[in-house]
Amino acid sequence: MTALPKPKSMVWLAALVVAANGFFPALWVLFTSFKTEAELMRLPITIWPASPTLDNYVRVFVDQPILTFLFNSFMVALLSTVLCVTVSACAAYALVRLRVPMPNLILSVLLAVAMFPLISLMIPLFQTMRALNLLNTWPALILPYAVLSMPVCTLVLISFFQDIPRDLENAAMIDGCTRLGALWNVVLPLTAPGVFTAGILAFVNAWDEFLLALTLSPRVASRTLPVGITLYQGEFSFPWPIISAALIVAIVPISILIAVLQERVVGGLTQGGVKG
């Protein structure tokens, strides 16, 4: 009779599959960014570039205004994250602390709305932004990005706020703080891991989003990075080495951000899961 694999072996196997699924595409893009188009089309296919070149990275910055795309993406993601976390913190605090009627129903509706496919929101969003004369501006992306990330951010913050004793807020309000002052000076500092987690989730969602950016901000001067990368392709050609180099340029900033805040993000997700 064949022996069943040990649970520990299955865990390592599953971890290996997840790691390969996550890292191999990124490594492939990285290696492709150092190849020439001729080498990329050569058979048999090779993973490691035979003659690494930086010409693709030079062309990334020469052929298109990628610095403008980077700046637009960073500002849109940052401002939408600040707005999202601010509103989500207020909403989570109200659902946890205030006498809001049917808080569970409100949270369920909030999460249900977040499950609508993004494509179903395109036409009403486009018409709204056009009526407000906001097309091809940062607010056209900041407002939808903040709203789309609010349900998840609210849920994350609720799990942290529930663990804060009410006595701390009552003591702050006795000392003269308002309800918002207690939230800002007492609750948020004590739930910093949750705030960082919610902020990173909102920032990454805004940084990576493509469909809304393509629809609501199509002009080159106001494009974000995911949409700007599409400009490197021609009508009948796809310069994959240059596109790969542009993708690496897009990945590096968000990777640095995650690496710097890794402990806070992982700690926030873990604590939120345990407390929730």
Side-chain angles (χ1 to χ4, degrees):
M1 184 175 179
T2 305
L4 295 176
K6 297 181 179 180
K8 189 174 182 179
S9 301
M10 296 298 295
V11 171
W12 279 104
L13 179 60
L16 181 62
V17 171
V18 172
N21 182 65
F23 285 106
F24 181 75
L27 290 176
W28 184 272
V29 171
L30 177 63
F31 295 150
T32 301
S33 68
F34 292 105
K35 294 181 179 180
T36 63
E37 289 193 48
E39 183 181 355
L40 184 63
M41 300 301 175
R42 190 182 306 159
L43 294 176
I45 297 174
T46 58
I47 298 178
W48 186 262
S51 302
T53 177
L54 294 176
D55 290 344
N56 297 320
Y57 288 92
V58 174
R59 290 193 59 183
V60 163
F61 288 92
V62 172
D63 292 356
Q64 298 293 340
I66 195 170
L67 292 178
T68 300
F69 302 153
L70 279 167
F71 180 71
N72 290 337
S73 287
F74 178 77
M75 293 305 299
V76 167
L78 178 63
L79 295 175
S80 65
T81 298
V82 171
L83 177 60
C84 175
V85 173
T86 301
V87 177
S88 297
C90 294
Y93 185 79
L95 291 172
V96 172
R97 287 290 190 263
L98 304 183
R99 295 181 179 178
V100 178
M102 297 182 291
N104 292 331
L105 178 60
I106 294 175
L107 185 60
S108 299
V109 172
L110 189 66
L111 294 176
V113 172
M115 296 179 185
F116 279 87
L118 185 58
I119 191 66
S120 65
L121 305 176
M122 295 306 303
I123 293 178
L125 278 175
F126 181 83
Q127 292 178 341
T128 300
M129 295 304 168
R130 184 175 60 181
L132 296 174
N133 199 25
L134 292 178
L135 292 178
N136 294 300
T137 64
W138 288 351
L141 298 178
I142 292 171
L143 295 176
Y145 288 170
V147 172
L148 291 173
S149 297
M150 280 179 192
V152 174
C153 292
T154 302
L155 184 63
V156 169
L157 292 173
I158 282 177
S159 64
F160 283 85
F161 289 175
Q162 288 175 337
D163 201 59
I164 302 298
R166 292 178 180 268
D167 294 341
L168 295 177
E169 301 160 59
N170 294 334
M173 287 187 285
I174 290 174
D175 289 339
C177 274
T178 61
R179 178 72 70 173
L180 286 178
L183 171 63
W184 178 259
N185 296 310
V186 177
V187 177
L188 291 182
L190 292 175
T191 56
V195 174
F196 274 97
T197 301
I200 289 296
L201 293 175
F203 190 92
V204 171
N205 288 339
W207 182 270
D208 293 339
E209 202 281 326
F210 176 81
L211 187 58
L212 281 178
L214 178 64
T215 305
L216 303 179
S217 189
R219 291 182 183 173
V220 175
S222 59
R223 282 185 175 182
T224 56
L225 192 56
V227 181
I229 291 175
T230 62
L231 295 177
Y232 290 97
Q233 72 183 48
E235 185 177 0
F236 302 105
S237 64
F238 289 85
W240 291 116
I242 299 176
I243 294 175
S244 298
L247 290 173
I248 294 300
V249 172
I251 292 171
V252 167
I254 199 70
S255 300
I256 294 175
L257 181 64
I258 295 296
V260 171
L261 301 177
Q262 178 182 7
E263 293 185 3
R264 288 185 177 273
V265 174
V266 174
L269 290 172
T270 304
Q271 293 176 32
V274 173
K275 293 174 185 178

